[in-house]
Amino acid sequence: MFYVQHLLGIGHLKRASILAQAMAEAGLDVAVVIGGPAVPGIDFPGCARILLPTATAADADFSAILDEAGRPIDDAWRDARLARLSFEFEALRPHILVVEQFPFGRRQFAFELMPLLQAARAAPDRPWVIGSVRDAVVRKSPARGQEMAKVANAWFDRILVHGDPAVLRLDETLPEVAAIAEKLVYTGYVADPKELRLRPRDRTSGRDEVIVSVGGGAVGEPLLRAALTARPSTRLSGHVWRLICGPNLPPGIEAELRWSEEPGIVVDRWRSDLPVLLRNCVLSISQAGYNTVVQLLQAGTRAVVVPFASENETEQEHRARTFAERGLMSIVAADAASGEISPAALAGAVEAALSAPRLGHGVDLGGAEATARILLDLPCNCPGPGAAGA
């Protein structure tokens, strides 16, 4: 049983789909618990799906959690969702329970996750309880970090960190996990193996274009507008610039971008072949979410990244700076208060990226297959509460 809850972007769901498919292909019987809205193009082939009542974030600051009708969730909604999750767990009786992000995030869902963990602990045939977390987390206070580590130590048997410790360690953004180092297992970054294989007809899609992508698009407007303004100041002004808005960019903004199109500007809502476009393009300009950075490493393209950063979101910035320091991409910082992006700074980063030599990255991208192997290699019987990782 694999629990995943996405609230704002699509990164969590995309990574979960790659992991779940790798698990299924390795021979595991996987049921994915999905707590957010469906996203076109992201599916879970070979897996059962358990759909909980949908929850989304009200805004980029996660100021409130909304139900499927756009209303703030209340106790009745929480009770109904907990009852559904508990019923599904009891019916499935999994040998392994994988929980994505919690306790390093998704604190708003402790109302259902703590009872789920308690049910797993009390089950006659106790399942392995496995955490699944990205390479970096949003930095919290030391007290909050200690609380995360305490919950992870008390309720989880392993914490799978989907990153390469030679590049970025979880304790760089969460020092408190040093106290539970024996439970951390690094898998490598989670890349989709299918995206490495290009069909012959795909070798011209996006050829010599500049691809501007903003993930799900919920916070992508500043980057899209800055790219349009920066374009005439770059040596790539004569190339096609393709703006991929994402499914969560407000439709009115997408329409405005389309109406203001200049020659050489193409606006797409969504492209399922984004990995192909990245492989063929002359330059990528994007945010620095986990999946985007992994796709850039797979594609081997020159890249400029503009991490989404705010007081409550520091994870993208840390990841982007780490990879920029290795010479693998150029970085432009948005204004943390306003979210605005300097077109002049973006144009300068484009020039820097084009002048930089192409480097082999040497980053472990085998996280999907490694995760499946780790789960398959678990003994049939869980050794008991709080078992340390091997």
Side-chain angles (χ1 to χ4, degrees), residues 2 20 29 50 52 62 104 122 139 142 166 202 208 234 253 258 296 338 340 343 360 364 368 381:
F2 184 10
D29 185 6
I50 298 169
L52 299 181
F62 298 91
F104 307 105
R139 183 69 186 114
D202 292 330
D208 293 332
T234 74
I253 297 172
R258 289 185 184 278
L296 291 172
S338 67
E340 295 298 315
D364 182 359
N381 296 317

Side-chain angles (χ1 to χ4, degrees), residues 8 39 44 81 166 174-175 209 231 233 319 331 350:
L8 183 64
V39 176
F44 293 82
R81 208 169 113 137
L174 190 62
E209 294 182 353
R231 179 181 181 242
S233 302
R319 178 183 303 110
I331 183 173
V350 167

Side-chain angles (χ1 to χ4, degrees), residues 20 77 108-109 121 153 157 165 237 265 277 312 315 328 337 365 369:
W77 185 91
Q108 308 97 317
F109 292 86
R121 177 68 57 82
N153 190 49
D157 303 304
S237 59
I265 300 295
L277 300 179
N312 298 319
E315 159 253 325
L328 298 176
L365 300 181
E369 299 89 342

Side-chain angles (χ1 to χ4, degrees), residues 69-363:
R71 301 167 302 207
I73 61 174
D74 56 20
D75 287 341
W77 185 91
R78 293 184 183 92
D79 289 344
R81 208 169 113 137
L82 172 57
R84 174 69 189 280
L85 180 59
S86 299
F87 172 83
E88 296 291 352
F89 176 79
E90 293 296 333
L92 191 63
R93 298 182 64 184
H95 298 291
I96 303 170
L97 172 64
V98 180
V99 178
E100 197 264 347
Q101 199 65 11
F102 187 80
F104 307 105
R106 301 294 179 259
R107 190 180 188 185
Q108 308 97 317
F109 292 86
F111 72 89
E112 65 184 12
L113 287 172
M114 287 308 303
L116 177 64
L117 295 174
Q118 291 162 0
R121 177 68 57 82
D125 297 320
R126 190 175 91 78
W128 289 91
V129 180
I130 309 296
S132 169
V133 65
R134 293 174 296 193
D135 56 342
V137 299
V138 176
R139 183 69 186 114
K140 302 295 185 181
S141 67
R144 178 73 182 104
Q146 291 168 5
E147 179 186 345
M148 292 176 180
K150 182 178 179 181
V151 172
N153 190 49
W155 294 97
F156 289 81
D157 303 304
R158 305 275 196 281
I159 303 295
L160 303 186
V161 183
H162 301 303
D164 183 344
V167 179
L168 176 57
R169 298 185 61 85
L170 183 60
D171 55 21
E172 293 180 34
T173 52
L174 190 62
E176 292 77 14
V177 298
I180 58 168
E182 73 281 357
K183 290 197 173 185
L184 304 182
V185 182
Y186 287 85
T187 67
Y189 284 88
V190 175
D192 188 341
K194 298 190 299 299
E195 294 180 357
L196 290 173
R197 300 187 292 272
L198 289 181
R199 298 185 298 277
R201 69 175 183 272
D202 292 330
R203 299 192 184 279
T204 58
S205 298
R207 176 67 64 189
D208 293 332
E209 294 182 353
V210 176
I211 303 299
V212 185
S213 60
V214 291
V219 292
E221 179 185 1
L223 178 53
L224 294 169
R225 294 193 184 281
L228 286 177
T229 305
R231 179 181 181 242
S233 302
T234 74
R235 74 174 95 160
L236 297 177
S237 59
H239 290 245
V240 170
W241 285 47
R242 184 178 300 276
L243 278 57
I244 304 176
C245 299
N248 298 328
L249 184 77
I253 297 172
E254 181 189 350
E256 182 182 342
L257 293 172
R258 289 185 184 278
W259 278 107
S260 63
E261 287 180 14
E262 303 173 12
I265 300 295
V266 177
V267 178
D268 288 329
R269 181 70 168 173
W270 179 256
R271 289 294 294 253
S272 60
D273 61 344
L274 177 60
V276 174
L277 300 179
L278 293 178
R279 181 71 62 86
N280 293 336
C281 72
V282 66
L283 180 76
S284 166
I285 301 173
S286 68
Q287 294 174 323
Y290 180 101
N291 297 324
T292 299
V293 168
V294 171
Q295 286 181 321
L296 291 172
L297 294 174
Q298 280 185 304
T301 190
R302 289 186 169 92
V304 174
V305 293
V306 185
F308 172 62
S310 69
E311 184 178 350
N312 298 319
E313 291 292 328
T314 58
E315 159 253 325
Q316 283 200 20
E317 184 176 10
H318 190 92
R319 178 183 303 110
R321 293 198 180 281
T322 297
F323 282 97
E325 288 167 2
R326 295 172 69 92
L328 298 176
M329 52 195 65
S330 297
I331 183 173
V332 175
D335 184 271
S338 67
E340 295 298 315
I341 300 164
S342 164
L346 185 58
V350 167
E351 296 302 310
L354 293 173
S355 301
R358 290 183 181 271
L359 301 176
H361 59 73
V363 179

